[in-house]
Amino acid sequence: MKKLLILSGKGGTGKTTTAAAFIDFSNAEAFADCDVDAPNLHLLVGMKGRAKKTHFYGSEKANIDDKKCVSCGICYQNCRFQGIIREGERYSVNPFACEGCGVCMYTCPQSAVTMEEDVAGVLALYHEERLFSTAKLKMGRGNSGKLVTEVKKQLETGSSGRFAIIDGSPGIGCPVIASISGVDMVLIVAEPSLSGISDMKRILRTAEFFQVKTAVCINKYDTCIENAEKIKKLCQREEIPFVGCIPYDDKVSAAINEGQSIANINCPARDALYEVYENIKVYFI
Amino acid sequence: MKIAIPMNEMLMEAEVCVSFGRAPYFLVYDTQSEASTFFENPGAVSQGGAGIKAAQSIVDAMAEALLTVRCGENSVEVFQAAGIKVYKTTEVTAKENIQAFQKGQLAPLNHFHGGFHGKI
Amino acid sequence: MKIAVLSGKGGTGKTFVSVNLAITAKNSVYIDCDVEEPNGRLFLKPEKSVLEEVYTQLPQVLEGKCIGCRKCVDSCRFNAMGFIKNKPLVFPEVCHSCGACSLLCPTGAIFEVKRPIGVVESGKNKKGVQVITGILNIGEASGIPIIQKALVTKVIEENITIIDCPPGSACTVMESVQAADYCLLVVEATTFGFHNFKMVYELVSLLQKPCGVVINKGNYSYTPLMNYCKENNIAILCCIPYQEKLARIGANGELACEKDDEAQVLFSTLLDRIRMEVGR
């Protein structure tokens, strides 16, 4: 299965809008949302059936047995993550702060602390004519890179399709690297702003490191034509395929608000995106 | 000598697993006795540091060489410290790769990825 | 008064609102807790910044004292230690600095040293805003110690402190919000924006912080958001319509409240509304 990953570095540049449109343009049989912190693709792809849901276990969390606890406070003194809450004589665990290191369990003289599996998120798999793999990390939980890997595993094992589109996660950290590994091509949706350019450069370095073919397009290019030109020049200099510019178009947010992919709407942004799709096909399909 | 290989299944004829740290099983093959032992990779289920944990299990199994598709920087550090040599597989199954290794056809692995923890 | 500025995900205008509020409030302090992508300083342009390194603890093994019992290696739940040729080997990037190994070593063979993971940069800009920026070194896993360091900066209680939080609702956001008196939720009036906003709202409710909403790049016409705010009794403090001129100002690294009269009025009205809300 060939996989196209859509990334942006910075959030809010139009990554998911692009992914949803490409899914329609290409009639992709399989797709996934790897933005497990704030998944949005499900709002646009219109999967009607019920998803098969499975728990995702993150790091373990400590749990204090009130019956065994003698309120000595040793766990409280040793925890470096403010993971133990003291209320008068009672000690309990703050699951949001607990890193699962086990220091409290190792040092409790009463063996009142145990380490327990913690549901850190939920994986969802829709399998109709098309396959859609997505997940949601619970509030305040880490390990998003591992959840991304699970989302991709669901996609790969579930579909025999020859082509898949993956909506990546923003940033350059662990979840992004987990999304990049094993894909055939990355499309970066850049934004013509100072922060957009600096974030794009970092994501380019990341993709280069993983030796993945990369192309760049600019969304809302007309919000700053000077910066858009800078991005184009940068691509030229570094010999990165530049596959198009998409104008700012208020029909886009109108379509999104109706839960529609812009592939089905007649507007300049749709036409520009279609051109981007045609251009990237040359490199990819 | 003992050779370790990351595996998808517990079979000599099965494919070598493309991941080292997250491989489900390891095979340890003894070239003298021709005995093969499989065991579960303790790193496969861990949250972080999978490569280190996996590499540790290879060290503890007294292997002297590892045949693998790829391998991360942390694991390599363990292997270097332990004096275990890492080779890149060229064939599909474990059996074929062991034969290739014994004929001296496998080259040392020299590109190690930085892991999936923002190490860029 | 400390105001935390949050958004469900990147690109909604969190930093845009934060830096403009910081300029509008006189003698304010701006703290950038988005340590992975700290962009506020690109707009506020602090001068003569002072750097302070942030450290975490890293175990070291005294080989002479080590008896090779392997307790440290087996107790590390992050697999940050290997055991090769009868001695422990530490992997700094995997280590969470929990201290289990040194606590459990029966012979005191493990001691801890400081390891730098990033910096907190502090400087004043021309308008007198104190700009504090937490910056995580590339490759480090957790920004929490940096956020904690950035937030302990001494501030005068009467003055306004703006905390620019990381996007999303992860543990780093929780850390940033803990110290705040008030939370400002920046929302984009779209299905995506609304969906992510509900997650952040859940977070501030859990932490029992009073909050209000700023709608960015939109107006009052997106009904699901309006109804949700009404049902949950969340105040909508202001609306910033999408304007090409504002996008242009931002794209060039300039401040809307300095370059545009309308924006200036808008942010000073917003600040007054926040003061009123907090006073209630």
Side-chain angles (χ1 to χ4, degrees):
Chain A
M1 182 197 285
K2 283 206 161 188
K3 284 164 287 202
L4 171 67
L5 171 69
I6 302 181
L7 285 179
S8 68
K10 187 175 171 300
T13 61
K15 192 168 46 62
T16 302
T17 309
T18 305
F22 277 26
I23 289 166
D24 284 347
F25 291 150
S26 66
N27 289 317
E29 295 149 332
F31 38 94
D33 190 348
C34 284
D35 188 355
V36 297
D37 284 302
N40 280 144
L41 190 60
H42 63 285
L43 298 168
L44 290 188
V45 291
M47 304 301 277
K48 287 182 195 71
R50 281 170 69 101
K52 191 184 117 215
K53 293 195 172 164
T54 37
H55 284 314
F56 166 72
Y57 294 97
S59 53
E60 292 177 323
K61 305 272 178 201
N63 184 50
I64 301 174
D65 184 346
D66 274 341
K67 290 192 201 94
K68 289 188 184 166
C69 176
V70 294
S71 303
C72 66
I74 290 177
C75 54
Y76 182 79
Q77 286 156 22
N78 283 325
C79 178
R80 293 190 178 169
F81 307 104
Q82 283 95 48
I84 308 282
I85 307 164
R86 182 176 61 181
E87 290 161 299
E89 287 285 281
R90 187 172 180 269
Y91 291 89
S92 60
V93 175
N94 173 2
F96 298 108
C98 176
E99 294 238 351
C101 69
V103 160
C104 49
M105 177 189 67
Y106 295 133
T107 55
C108 177
Q110 301 295 319
S111 306
V113 188
T114 46
M115 300 303 291
E116 277 161 29
E117 276 195 327
D118 173 64
V119 177
V122 178
L123 277 150
L125 182 68
Y126 296 83
H127 207 162
E128 296 158 27
E129 303 95 72
R130 305 180 300 166
L131 181 134
F132 175 40
S133 171
T134 179
K136 168 84 186 78
L137 201 65
K138 254 170 76 176
M139 191 171 63
R141 295 300 199 275
N143 294 118
S144 48
K146 200 186 172 204
L147 184 51
V148 166
T149 308
E150 297 288 327
V151 169
K152 283 172 64 193
K153 221 184 255 171
Q154 278 198 150
L155 177 80
E156 279 156 21
T157 53
S159 171
S160 51
R162 56 192 169 81
F163 179 61
I165 287 173
I166 305 173
D167 188 4
S169 43
I172 53 154
C174 175
V176 178
I177 295 166
S179 351
I180 287 184
S181 72
V183 303
D184 300 273
M185 174 135 208
V186 171
L187 171 65
I188 297 174
V189 182
E191 193 186 74
S193 64
L194 280 188
S195 33
I197 294 176
S198 95
D199 295 343
M200 180 193 78
K201 283 186 190 158
R202 305 221 283 180
I203 198 75
L204 276 174
R205 282 218 308 266
T206 312
E208 193 185 310
F209 184 85
F210 280 87
Q211 299 169 323
V212 184
K213 264 193 284 178
T214 308
V216 171
C217 68
I218 305 175
N219 193 19
K220 305 177 209 166
Y221 80 95
D222 43 356
T223 53
C224 186
I225 292 177
E226 299 81 21
N227 282 337
E229 284 303 320
K230 272 188 208 156
I231 295 175
K232 272 196 213 169
K233 286 222 177 81
L234 191 143
C235 289
Q236 223 170 38
R237 211 169 46 234
E238 304 203 2
E239 293 174 9
I240 296 157
F242 182 81
V243 288
C245 284
I246 303 131
Y248 176 81
D249 189 335
D250 45 22
K251 285 221 173 105
V252 173
S253 45
I256 290 168
N257 286 352
E258 283 166 21
Q260 287 252 8
S261 153
I262 70 156
N264 314 314
I265 285 165
N266 211 346
C267 66
R270 183 252 171 220
D271 297 342
L273 253 181
Y274 191 76
E275 228 181 283
V276 170
Y277 169 70
E278 286 285 325
N279 287 340
I280 203 162
K281 249 171 58 178
V282 179
Y283 295 98
F284 182 62
I285 301 177
Chain B
M1 82 188 282
K2 285 182 175 174
I3 310 166
I5 304 178
M7 299 294 293
N8 282 324
E9 292 170 67
M10 294 204 267
L11 274 175
M12 288 294 281
E13 290 76 22
E15 279 179 32
V16 174
C17 181
V18 289
S19 161
F20 169 73
R22 298 280 178 196
Y25 309 102
F26 288 125
L27 158 67
V28 173
Y29 179 80
D30 190 327
T31 51
Q32 259 113 51
S33 67
E34 296 184 11
S36 50
T37 327
F38 289 88
F39 61 92
E40 279 186 28
N41 170 14
V45 291
S46 60
Q47 288 304 316
I52 300 167
K53 187 115 180 164
Q56 182 70 51
S57 73
I58 303 290
V59 175
D60 293 344
M62 316 283 278
E64 290 156 71
L66 172 77
L67 317 186
T68 184
V69 180
R70 59 164 74 97
C71 182
E73 283 171 357
N74 286 334
S75 319
V76 163
E77 211 179 313
V78 172
F79 293 135
Q80 277 168 356
I84 295 174
K85 292 205 169 62
V86 184
Y87 297 87
K88 183 157 176 56
T89 55
T90 52
E91 312 300 317
V92 178
T93 69
K95 203 172 178 176
E96 290 162 351
N97 277 298
I98 290 170
Q99 284 162 0
F101 174 73
Q102 286 178 321
K103 286 183 205 151
Q105 289 167 348
L106 298 189
L109 184 70
N110 48 25
H111 177 83
F112 308 111
H113 64 79
F116 302 145
H117 303 281
K119 277 178 69 173
I120 291 298
Chain C
M1 182 175 63
K2 288 181 177 154
I3 306 164
V5 184
L6 302 100
S7 72
K9 72 197 252 175
T12 54
K14 184 175 51 61
T15 298
F16 167 69
V17 171
S18 302
V19 294
N20 280 294
L21 275 180
I23 290 286
T24 307
K26 303 279 175 285
N27 303 316
S28 63
V29 178
Y30 166 87
I31 305 178
D32 201 340
C33 289
D34 189 0
V35 298
E36 281 182 49
E37 278 157 353
N39 283 332
R41 59 186 171 152
L42 299 177
F43 300 93
L44 292 170
K45 306 178 178 77
E47 294 169 347
K48 294 185 192 141
S49 288
V50 183
L51 295 183
E52 201 181 335
E53 284 223 66
V54 181
Y55 300 94
T56 182
Q57 312 262 61
L58 183 71
Q60 296 240 307
V61 183
L62 286 169
E63 281 177 25
K65 281 194 178 179
C66 177
I67 51 166
C69 72
R70 207 169 159 157
K71 240 184 190 152
C72 51
V73 181
D74 294 338
S75 62
C76 179
R77 303 175 86 84
F78 307 108
N79 300 323
M81 285 180 120
F83 190 73
I84 317 290
K85 296 186 176 155
N86 271 325
K87 58 181 194 212
L89 181 69
V90 181
F91 289 85
E93 266 126 0
V94 185
C95 177
H96 282 51
S97 308
C98 71
C101 49
S102 61
L103 268 169
L104 297 177
C105 175
T107 59
I110 297 181
F111 67 105
E112 290 179 297
V113 291
K114 291 200 291 185
R115 184 175 75 90
I117 55 161
V119 292
V120 170
E121 192 187 272
S122 172
K124 270 202 174 166
N125 80 350
K126 284 208 172 72
K127 289 284 158 71
V129 176
Q130 196 189 345
V131 182
I132 295 161
T133 310
I135 308 162
L136 182 69
N137 289 349
I138 287 182
E140 291 297 339
S142 168
I144 299 268
I146 313 237
I147 294 173
Q148 284 170 341
K149 185 87 170 185
L151 287 171
V152 294
T153 313
K154 283 213 173 59
V155 295
I156 304 163
E157 211 30 56
E158 294 82 69
N159 292 345
I160 298 231
T161 300
I162 305 283
I163 303 169
D164 193 349
C165 299
S169 55
C171 43
T172 46
V173 183
M174 288 205 156
E175 198 63 44
S176 316
V177 170
Q178 300 281 9
D181 302 302
Y182 191 78
C183 291
L184 199 59
L185 312 182
V186 184
V187 193
E188 231 179 60
T190 62
T191 308
F192 290 175
F194 177 50
H195 183 253
N196 299 329
F197 157 71
K198 284 190 282 189
M199 290 164 21
V200 198
Y201 177 66
E202 196 191 327
L203 183 142
V204 296
S205 314
L206 185 88
L207 297 173
Q208 298 177 319
K209 299 283 177 189
C211 67
V213 163
V214 171
I215 297 175
N216 190 27
K217 297 185 243 181
N219 53 31
Y220 295 97
S221 66
Y222 182 66
T223 352
L225 175 64
M226 293 302 130
N227 291 344
Y228 187 85
C229 289
K230 212 172 184 179
E231 278 162 29
N232 291 285
N233 211 3
I234 312 165
I236 298 174
L237 305 179
C238 90
C239 236
I240 309 167
Y242 176 79
Q243 286 176 350
E244 236 182 86
K245 58 176 184 184
L246 294 186
R248 236 177 261 283
I249 293 169
N252 288 322
E254 292 173 324
L255 291 153
C257 69
E258 288 182 345
K259 293 274 160 186
D260 184 82
D261 293 343
E262 260 178 88
Q264 192 195 348
V265 175
L266 191 141
F267 281 106
S268 72
T269 320
L270 173 61
L271 195 62
D272 290 342
R273 286 268 337 240
I274 297 171
R275 282 200 177 102
M276 254 169 59
E277 289 284 323
V278 176
R280 276 202 301 165

